[in-house]
């Protein structure tokens, strides 16, 4: 097994990525390594012996906001796998947590598996495909070294959680609710690229505050938490064989 030399980190929002890019001293890759009109931005540099690319989805054309959700995540992940050829992909970002699963604001999770909670297709075969299931790259030593919480990451394209999604989240045994990871896992499975996800909790899905208010209140603190957490993961994995994670 070859050591992990090229690491790509995919983060949806620029505000989530900025402290990390600054901390790692990465520089914007210009021109973009991705051909075509995809608005993704790539920030690259060396971290120890490894090459690290932090990639954001970029601005959604005509809306003036970051592209979030599974479609931009999968498009960016596809370009990353095709053109940057990472040995390992790390999805980092903010997410909702669950007090029923022991979650609290500021917690950092290292995903165990990826599922969807808003793809209900009650037709044999498509039902299981809709929920999906991809395992994170096995990383027992990394879990021990970081102490980040383990948990299933469940993905959907909405920030809110109507009852029908809450039911699916429970069935998925989700500890983390966010909007990208399962789309990225779909692409990683195609390319056989191992995937880790590091998620910092900004809001409590089964709490009593409106999600959007709690999210905006805690976004800065969670981005700082990622700035601390992601380099720990990068430094641990860089130069190691996948089997040693
Ligand atoms: N990102 C941060 N909080 C989230 C939530 N509650 N749902 C989906 N994505 C999120």
């Amino acid at each position: 097994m070859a050591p992990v030399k090229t690491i790509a980190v995919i983060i949806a929002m620029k505000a989530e990525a900025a402290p990390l890019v600054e901390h790692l001293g990465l520089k914007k890759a210009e021109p973009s390594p991705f051909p075509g009109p995809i608005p993704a931005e790539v920030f690259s540099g060396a971290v120890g012996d490894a090459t690290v690319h932090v990639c954001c989805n970029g601005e959604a054309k005509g809306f003036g906001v970051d592209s979030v959700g599974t479609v931009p995540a999968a498009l960016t992940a596809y370009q990353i796998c095709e053109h940057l050829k990472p040995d390992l992909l790390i999805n980092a970002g903010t997410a909702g947590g669950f007090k029923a699963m022991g979650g609290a604001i500021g917690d950092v999770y290292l995903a165990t598996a990826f599922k969807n909670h808003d793809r209900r297709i009650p037709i044999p075969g498509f039902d299981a495909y809709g929920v999906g299931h991809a395992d994170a790259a096995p990383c027992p030593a990394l879990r021990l070294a970081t102490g980040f919480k383990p948990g299933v990451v469940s993905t959907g394209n909405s920030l809110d959680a109507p009852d029908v999604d809450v039911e699916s989240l429970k069935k998925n045994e989700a500890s983390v609710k966010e909007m990208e990871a399962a789309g990225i896992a779909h692409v990683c499975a195609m390319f056989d690229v191992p995937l880790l996800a590091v998620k910092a909790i900004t809001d409590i899905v089964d709490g009593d505050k409106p999600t959007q208010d709690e999210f905006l209140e805690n976004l800065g603190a969670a981005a700082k938490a990622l700035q601390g957490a992601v380099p720990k993961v990068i430094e641990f994995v860089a130069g190691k064989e996948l089997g040693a994670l």
Side-chain angles (χ1 to χ4, degrees):
M1 235 186 236
V4 173
K5 276 271 168 103
T6 303
I7 301 165
V9 183
I10 178 166
I11 304 183
M13 295 174 70
K14 222 166 166 182
E16 294 171 317
L20 176 68
V21 167
E22 166 98 23
H23 178 86
L24 296 177
L26 308 180
K27 295 280 168 282
K28 186 168 174 180
E30 281 179 309
S32 168
F34 304 152
I38 188 164
E41 292 182 289
V42 180
F43 302 87
S44 303
V47 176
D49 286 343
T51 299
V52 174
H53 305 284
V54 172
C55 309
C56 298
N57 293 334
E59 197 175 291
K61 195 174 181 179
F63 292 93
V65 296
D66 292 307
S67 310
V68 299
T70 53
V71 169
L75 287 171
T76 304
Y78 196 98
Q79 296 290 333
I80 289 172
C81 291
E82 179 74 6
H83 297 288
L84 303 178
K85 306 209 179 304
D87 301 311
L88 178 73
L89 185 52
I90 301 170
N91 173 214
T94 58
F98 297 81
K99 64 174 191 251
M101 301 296 275
I105 304 286
D107 280 353
V108 176
Y109 280 87
L110 186 55
T112 53
F114 308 103
K115 297 185 185 182
N116 297 277
H117 56 259
D118 67 350
R119 304 202 315 180
R120 288 169 291 277
I121 316 172
I123 298 172
F126 287 94
D127 44 7
Y129 161 77
V131 177
H133 182 119
D135 286 322
C139 55
L142 173 65
R143 291 186 190 285
L144 213 60
T146 58
F148 298 150
K149 289 187 167 185
V152 172
V153 170
S154 191
T155 302
N157 273 292
S158 296
L159 187 68
D160 69 355
D163 289 348
V164 66
D165 282 355
V166 169
E167 272 314 300
S168 303
L169 285 155
K170 276 192 194 138
K171 277 196 200 133
N172 287 353
E173 299 179 327
S175 291
V176 176
K177 171 180 177 284
E178 52 74 86
M179 299 173 66
E180 280 88 23
I184 296 166
H186 178 78
V187 175
C188 284
M190 280 182 201
F191 281 89
D192 244 335
V193 169
L195 175 64
L196 296 176
V198 182
K199 299 281 168 172
I201 301 303
T202 48
D203 52 270
I204 298 299
V205 179
D206 52 352
D208 39 27
K209 284 196 185 166
T211 298
Q212 59 276 22
D213 297 350
E214 212 176 15
F215 169 71
L216 291 171
E217 207 174 291
N218 295 312
L219 177 59
K224 284 258 158 63
L226 289 176
Q227 177 196 326
V230 178
K232 280 188 195 147
V233 174
I234 290 173
E235 276 151 30
F236 187 90
V237 301
K240 285 202 176 67
E241 290 183 3
L242 286 171
L245 305 186

